[in-house]
Each structure stands twice: as C-alpha cells, then as structure tokens.
Amino acid sequence: MSERSIIDQLDDAVAALAEGRQSDLRNLGSELSALAGVAQDLIGLPRETFKAELQQQLTRSDSMSSSAPQPETNPVRSMSLYICVANASAAIDFYREAFGAKELWRLVEPNGKIGHAEIQIGTTSLMLSDEYPDYGTLSPGTIGGSSVKIHLDVTDVDAFAERAIKAGATLVRPIADQFYGDRSGQLADPFGYTWIVSTHIRDVSVEEMQKELNKWSQEQSAKNSDEAGSIKEPKLRRENRHTVTPYITVHKPAELIDFVTQSFGAIEHFRATGSAGGMHAEVSIGDSIVMIGGAEHIEPKPTAIHLYVPDVDQAYERALKAGAKSLMPVTDQPYGERAGGVEDDHGNRWYIATPFVPLQTIAQDLHTVTVYFHPIGAQRFIDFVTDAFGGKELMRHAEGDMIMHAKVQIGDSVIELGEARYPTQPLPTAIYLYVDDVDNVDAIYEQALKAGGISMLPPTDQAYGDRNAWVKDPFDNVWYVAAPLKGQS
Amino acid sequence: MSQATESEERLLIEAAQNDPSRFAELYEQNFHRVYAYVARRVHDRAEIQDLTAQVFHQALANLGKFKWRGSPFAAWLYRIAANAIADRAKRKLRESIDQPNPSSESFTATDLEAVERRARLFSAVDKLAEDQRRVIVMRFADEKSIREIAGELGRSEGAVKQLQFRALENLRNRLNEK
C-alpha cells in the first residue's frame, strides 16, 4: 500500500467522522486506526474565534464586576425595533403616558421634525422618527397599516391596559386569559401600531397549546359554516353604495357641488333636474358617495359630516378660500387625528380630519364620509337606530350621562353622534339607507315605524328604478330606505 | 496546554482575585479543559459554546469566593460546568426538581481521563507547524471540506490531505509523549 493511498484512506475516515458516520476504524490497520482515533477526538475542536471572543468578553472591564452576564456567542448582539410615526413628538408623549416610557434622547431638525429618537420601555429601547418619504420612511397611516405588532411583557396586564387606555390607546382585543398561559389583550395606539400586552400566569407545554389551537380551529370552522347556513337579519347593503349615504338638500345645489369639488376634491358623477324643478346630483369624496339636491323652493336640510381627507391642512385652507367659515382651526387631536372644522355657505358643517392611522383600524367599516348627528337625547337616538335599522353601538365617550361622542354601525357604514350642546345644535338631515334586497325595504320600514318613526312615504316603486320608503325619526331626520328594483341597477 | 505547577496556579488565582484582568491567564490554562468537559456530555456546538462561556463568566464573577483547598482550579471549574450542564438539561426537559436529574450521572474516572486527554489534544493543535495547524483548524473547528480548504489555501487537495495526515501523526506522537 503506497503512502498516497494511506493518506486518502485516512481522509475517507475523517470525512466519515465529520459527517457523523462511524466508519469501521479497525479495518484500517493499527497505524491508521490510531490516527483516525485522534481525528475522532478532534471532531468538535473549539473554534478559535469563539475562544478569542470569549476571552475578550471576560477581560472587558464591564464584565468583570457584574455577575455572570449572558454569554454572547452569536454575531448579533441584540435586536431593536425602529418605528416611523406621523408626529414622533406626540408619539413619545403618548408612550410616556401610556406605557411609562422614558425618553433617552432625540435629534430634532430646525423645523421640529424628529430625525431620530430613542425611548426606553421596560428594559428595551425603542427607536423612532418622524416620516421621511424621500428616504422610504413612512408611517402606518401613509402605508395603510402596519403588519408588525409589538409585544409587551408586563407585570399586571389589567392595570397596564387601563393606564394605556386612559392615555388614549384603544382596546382592540379585550384582556383575557389565553390558552397559551398568558393573560393578554391588544391595544392600538393613535399612531397605527398594535401592542400585544400580556402577563404570564401559568406554564403550558407546547403540546397542550397545539391541542388548544386545534380545538379553536375546529370551533371556528364550525361557526363559519353555521353562519353561512342561516341569515339571521336582512343585510343592509347595495353594491357601490354604502348603507348610509347622506342626502344634502340646499337652495343652491350647483354651488355646493362647486364647493365640495374645490375644497375636498369631490368628483361629480351625475346631475339631473327633476319634474318639480329640483336638482339631484351625486358626487364621490374618497370612497363614499354624497348626494346633493334641492332648489330655491325646497326646504334645505344641511348636514354635518365627518370627512376624512389625505391632507386636512390643505382641505381646510381650500374650504376657507372657497367661502366657508372656520368652526375650529386645524389641530392635532388627542384621539388620534389631525382635525379642523368649517361651515359652508349652505349651513353644512364639515368636520375634516386626517387620521394618524388607516380608517379601518379605527372602525372596520369607517368610510371617508360619515354622517354626524347632534340629537337632543343622544341615548334615545341610539336606541332608535338600534331598533329601527339594527344599529350596533361601537363606542361611546360620555361625561356623566351626556354622550359626547359615539359611533354606531349600520350595515356596512358607521354613523357618529354627540348630544346637541352649545354651540352645536341639532341639524336634522336626510339620509339614504340602502338595503341589499328590495324585499327588505318593507321589513325595515315596518321596523322603523315600530321603533317610533313616522311614515312619510310607504314602500313605493319609483320610476328611477328604486323601491323606497321614507321614515322620519323622532329627531326630524328623514331616512330614505331604498333598494334597486329587481332587474335594475 | 502548559501545565502550571500547583504553586504557579495558586499565584495565578491570587493575582486574578486581586486584579480581574489577570483572569486571562487562568482562562488560557483552562479553556480547553472546560470545553472538552462540556463536550463530553453535550454534542451541539452552539450549546457547548454557550455552556463554556457560562462557566467562565460564572467563574470570573465568583472568583473571590474560590478558596484554595489543595484541589486544582480545574476541579472547581468542572463543578461549575457540571451544574451548568445539569441546569440546562433540566430546563430542556422541563423537569421538576423531585424527578431524577438526567445529568446527575457524574463523571467517572474514565470520563475525566478522556476529558484531560482531549484537552491536551486541543492544546497540542496550537503547537503544530502553521500549515498543519491551519488545515486541522479548518477541517475540524470550521468543519470545511478538503476541497474548500484547498481552495482557501491555494493548494491542491492532495497537498491538503497530506498536511492533514502529517498533522494527525504529530498529534498522536505528542499525546503519546505524556
């Protein structure tokens, strides 16, 4: 046997050992098997970089006095979150109030923009900055949401959430005991991030968690098939139209169309003059339709509208230029939007706002245009829309008994309301309420009368292709319950 | 591994107790022992590294408490290592304290002999001729193939295999000297 082949044989043995295969060393002969034995002991030889790095750690002065720091053997030392927010300064204030964050430092541009800041939450630091679109640094509001949720391990999740909510966070998933052994819930901050807050209460094995998850999945699929099998309530919906669509009636509808076009970038889709000389028009603003109509001889019904626009400062300026008067200058609101208010020449009130977050994170079915009611007796109003139209209250903010602000879901839309109070007096208006099926017009009409509405027009097939019924609620708002006739669209 | 005599080791420990920066020498003396000790029970490289680091950090933090009682410093390190291995095993198996400890199987004399022998082998690698040492380190520590090593060193695969062969011969001879 030549030495060359011995060398190759030894390497075969080494390769086998390196791959964890036990080659039969005894067949190699005593010389080779002794060398292979050495090779076997060498498998797992410590890496020189590891030895040197550990020595460095040990001799670094800061590790000398502290007791057993965590070994650092990974090339990555730590991981940090870097978030972008619209209005970093407000965000830092919020995180301080809500989560007890400590500001470490910030770098500020002369114009006040925060280029970089670091705050500490618990033992972890969080980096954040304002938006810099030129550098691809965009906030959730601009992008349309954030797929990243931030998890906070806290000592008392209930107390923690309470404090955060007081500071302006929204509870998006209630605090509850979870199958994986945590008590947790989710909070949305006003800047578009969701925080999972949790306190560990018991140890659960991965197997048990998996079992619970399987059970949950089964329940979910059973529930979904149940829901598909029985439709419990008439769905309020019409294609391309939101359930709740405002109908603004003014003396000079053409001028109002000009106003909303100039101020809010409305797009006119349709304009016609009826037999009685009144105009009927439809414009869209953002994702919503607004109907505009009226004539000199028709009683006006101005409306209050909460309108979301991409740039509230610009819309506010344009509205003033177009002749509106200011109700409220544009300011950042603690509830998570930048908002101002104007009243146009026709008496409509526009509460215009740019949210810090995508609308859908505020309420799933919130649209660009939301009708805002100022009834006297807000609770009774909520009761009425609940009984008449199957409204579901989404949130309320009350001071004592007085409902300052509330959101109610009707069909695929949200309406808002607040108790009438100086200087905001009731502004009874007209609203289209689209239902999904013409057969439901009559049912909803009956239901609305039972709830205390007054019939203005029983269900009637109209020449323009709708079946509709008019009901005046106890607050003088007129609801046009409507659906397209079969075969029409 | 240079074998410090008992009195030399005492001096090193006292020096490190007074000035932690002197710990480097104790580390140098004992690194391969601790590593080989851990590797006797744990087979995953990342875990061996974690545990070895943990042992030295703990040793450094508790160096002031070390009292010279005639047994070598390595014995003290082995005890820290044994506890660290047992703790890790316990955590891994989510065992409660009253259940039998899977790592309580203590090191037999044979185990300790194997550990010492392997530590000597690891240290012997450092004393190889440079080209042989590099081949051994790349092959066994960095887990590279002959082809990769040949590429990096700019030599033929045959030459690398030959260096490996010579290096293993030299290592065996060194171990047999003791």
Side-chain angles (χ1 to χ4, degrees):
Chain A
M1 209 181 269
S2 72
E3 189 176 78
R4 165 93 194 133
S5 76
I6 291 173
I7 288 170
D8 277 338
Q9 280 184 61
L10 179 62
D11 185 61
D12 289 345
V14 170
L17 289 166
E19 287 168 30
R21 284 184 284 126
Q22 284 296 330
S23 72
D24 198 345
L25 302 181
R26 277 163 304 185
N27 287 350
L28 293 172
S30 66
E31 168 72 6
L32 270 184
S33 80
L35 294 185
V38 173
Q40 188 161 30
D41 268 346
L42 278 175
I43 298 291
L45 181 69
R47 296 209 172 120
E48 297 186 321
T49 47
F50 167 66
K51 189 182 169 207
E53 276 165 17
L54 178 56
Q55 173 160 14
Q56 236 174 35
Q57 278 173 35
L58 291 164
T59 48
R60 257 205 329 250
S61 59
D62 58 355
S63 70
M64 290 301 160
S65 51
S66 65
S67 65
Q70 279 306 297
E72 287 179 36
T73 53
N74 194 296
V76 178
R77 274 191 213 288
S78 69
M79 189 177 80
S80 306
L81 207 56
Y82 201 128
I83 63 171
C84 170
V85 288
N87 199 341
S89 177
I92 293 171
D93 288 345
F94 171 81
Y95 294 138
R96 185 190 304 116
E97 285 297 308
F99 302 151
K102 196 174 101 190
E103 180 174 341
L104 300 175
W105 53 287
R106 66 168 79 185
L107 300 177
V108 189
E109 282 196 73
N111 62 11
K113 263 179 95 171
I114 293 186
H116 178 87
E118 288 188 33
I119 61 175
Q120 187 172 336
I121 299 177
T123 55
T124 309
S125 70
L126 172 74
M127 302 184 225
L128 67 162
S129 79
D130 269 309
E131 279 192 294
Y132 285 86
D134 290 350
Y135 296 88
T137 303
L138 302 170
S139 73
T142 304
I143 295 169
S146 164
S147 65
V148 175
K149 292 183 183 189
I150 310 165
H151 185 277
L152 294 180
D153 179 13
V154 301
T155 50
D156 178 350
V157 66
D158 294 275
F160 187 88
E162 197 183 319
R163 170 181 173 167
I165 291 164
K166 245 182 219 157
T170 310
L171 192 64
V172 290
R173 266 187 68 185
I175 309 295
D177 291 353
Q178 311 290 349
F179 68 82
Y180 42 86
D182 286 0
R183 180 168 174 76
S184 72
Q186 294 188 13
L187 298 164
D189 72 26
F191 305 91
Y193 289 98
T194 303
W195 301 74
I196 302 168
V197 291
S198 84
T199 299
H200 187 69
I201 47 177
R202 65 191 178 92
D203 289 338
V204 181
S205 70
V206 176
E207 292 75 24
E208 198 184 326
M209 289 184 214
Q210 184 63 54
K211 235 185 261 169
E212 288 296 322
L213 180 66
N214 295 348
K215 218 161 76 186
W216 180 84
S217 310
Q218 271 173 12
E219 283 167 10
Q220 287 299 305
S221 57
K223 207 162 100 187
N224 288 343
S225 55
D226 275 4
E227 276 167 9
S230 66
I231 294 162
K232 287 164 194 110
E233 56 193 56
K235 271 198 198 140
L236 297 163
R237 181 164 184 90
R238 178 178 166 181
E239 214 182 336
N240 300 330
R241 298 294 166 84
H242 297 138
T243 308
V244 176
T245 298
Y247 197 116
I248 307 177
T249 308
V250 295
H251 283 316
K252 295 186 168 74
E255 285 181 15
L256 179 59
I257 294 170
D258 287 345
F259 173 78
V260 293
T261 308
Q262 286 164 24
S263 305
F264 310 132
I267 299 164
E268 182 178 338
H269 294 286
F270 173 78
R271 188 191 289 219
T273 304
S275 51
M279 180 200 278
H280 173 78
E282 295 184 10
V283 301
S284 63
I285 308 177
D287 67 6
S288 302
I289 297 279
V290 173
M291 296 199 239
I292 293 173
E296 288 293 351
H297 62 278
I298 295 172
E299 191 200 347
K301 273 192 173 294
T303 304
I305 283 178
H306 193 170
L307 177 71
Y308 286 105
V309 293
D311 184 341
V312 61
D313 294 85
Q314 190 189 57
Y316 176 84
E317 287 305 321
R318 286 184 179 165
L320 295 190
K321 215 181 264 173
K325 65 175 197 237
S326 175
L327 294 173
M328 184 182 83
V330 176
T331 46
D332 286 345
Q333 299 298 327
Y335 48 87
E337 58 188 41
R338 184 167 172 77
V342 298
E343 184 174 314
D344 64 30
D345 278 348
H346 315 273
N348 300 297
R349 291 201 287 257
W350 302 89
Y351 310 135
I352 45 179
T354 299
F356 296 155
V357 296
L359 285 184
Q360 290 69 32
T361 60
I362 303 172
Q364 204 186 339
D365 284 319
L366 201 56
H367 306 304
T368 322
V369 170
T370 301
V371 183
Y372 206 111
F373 297 88
H374 297 285
I376 296 174
Q379 181 59 58
R380 283 188 299 120
F381 179 83
I382 294 175
D383 292 344
F384 175 78
V385 295
T386 304
D387 296 345
F389 309 130
K392 290 188 184 74
E393 184 175 327
L394 296 178
M395 60 77 68
R396 73 162 68 187
H397 166 63
E399 286 177 12
D401 284 344
M402 188 185 273
I403 296 172
M404 310 299 282
H405 177 75
K407 283 191 175 69
V408 178
Q409 173 119 20
I410 301 178
D412 75 357
S413 301
V414 173
I415 60 166
E416 293 180 311
L417 65 129
E419 185 75 39
R421 57 190 187 276
Y422 181 82
T424 310
Q425 292 306 305
L427 203 59
T429 188
I431 311 99
Y432 252 86
L433 192 75
Y434 282 110
V435 303
D436 64 332
D437 190 309
V438 69
D439 297 333
N440 286 329
V441 172
D442 300 50
I444 300 273
Y445 167 80
E446 292 298 335
Q447 212 170 275
L449 295 189
K450 245 185 238 160
I454 296 163
S455 172
M456 305 276 290
L457 177 76
T460 308
D461 292 347
Q462 302 287 358
Y464 48 84
D466 275 5
R467 180 174 179 81
N468 61 22
W470 306 355
V471 177
K472 187 187 260 187
D473 71 22
F475 308 86
D476 280 343
N477 302 295
V478 177
W479 300 78
Y480 303 123
V481 182
L485 287 165
K486 296 226 159 86
Q488 310 269 348
S489 63
Chain B
M1 162 171 42
S2 58
Q3 295 285 342
T5 64
E6 197 182 285
S7 59
E8 280 169 347
E9 191 169 72
R10 269 185 92 156
L11 287 175
L12 281 178
I13 293 162
E14 274 169 23
Q17 282 174 330
N18 293 327
D19 174 7
S21 70
R22 299 290 301 276
F23 188 69
E25 289 154 74
L26 284 171
Y27 174 80
E28 195 57 44
Q29 294 273 342
N30 292 286
F31 173 82
H32 284 134
R33 283 201 182 99
V34 170
Y35 195 97
Y37 186 95
V38 173
R40 184 82 186 164
R41 282 286 179 270
V42 177
H43 304 293
D44 174 59
R45 185 183 286 273
E47 279 197 39
I48 297 170
Q49 292 188 359
D50 275 359
L51 284 164
T52 302
Q54 196 183 327
V55 170
F56 279 109
H57 279 295
Q58 273 183 27
L60 178 59
N62 295 298
L63 194 60
K65 294 181 201 155
F66 178 77
K67 295 257 165 37
W68 183 261
R69 288 201 189 87
S71 58
F73 188 63
W76 187 61
L77 293 175
Y78 286 162
R79 208 168 63 233
I80 298 175
N83 287 335
I85 293 166
D87 280 351
R88 168 135 338 183
K90 228 185 281 174
R91 253 197 323 243
K92 271 193 142 177
L93 294 169
R94 294 173 171 272
E95 294 254 321
S96 62
I97 294 156
D98 53 0
Q99 279 176 300
N101 179 347
S103 285
S104 60
E105 45 163 328
S106 53
F107 278 67
T108 61
T110 321
D111 279 317
L112 285 177
E113 257 177 53
V115 167
E116 288 286 343
R117 179 189 153 85
R118 205 159 173 215
R120 280 209 319 274
L121 173 63
F122 289 167
S123 295
V125 171
D126 291 340
K127 300 196 180 74
L128 288 171
E130 181 56 17
D131 51 0
Q132 290 177 20
R133 191 190 66 83
R134 287 190 72 187
V135 169
I136 293 298
V137 165
M138 290 169 99
R139 189 87 170 108
F140 293 95
D142 303 332
E143 294 165 10
K144 289 182 169 150
S145 69
I146 292 290
R147 177 174 299 180
E148 287 171 314
I149 298 168
E152 278 191 49
L153 295 182
R155 305 182 78 146
S156 71
E157 292 184 27
V160 172
K161 282 184 195 172
Q162 193 155 4
L163 284 168
Q164 174 179 262
F165 186 89
R166 297 282 170 237
L168 289 171
E169 267 187 340
N170 283 331
L171 289 171
R172 184 207 43 193
N173 294 340
R174 258 175 230 274
L175 284 179
N176 289 344
E177 278 167 25
K178 302 270 165 174

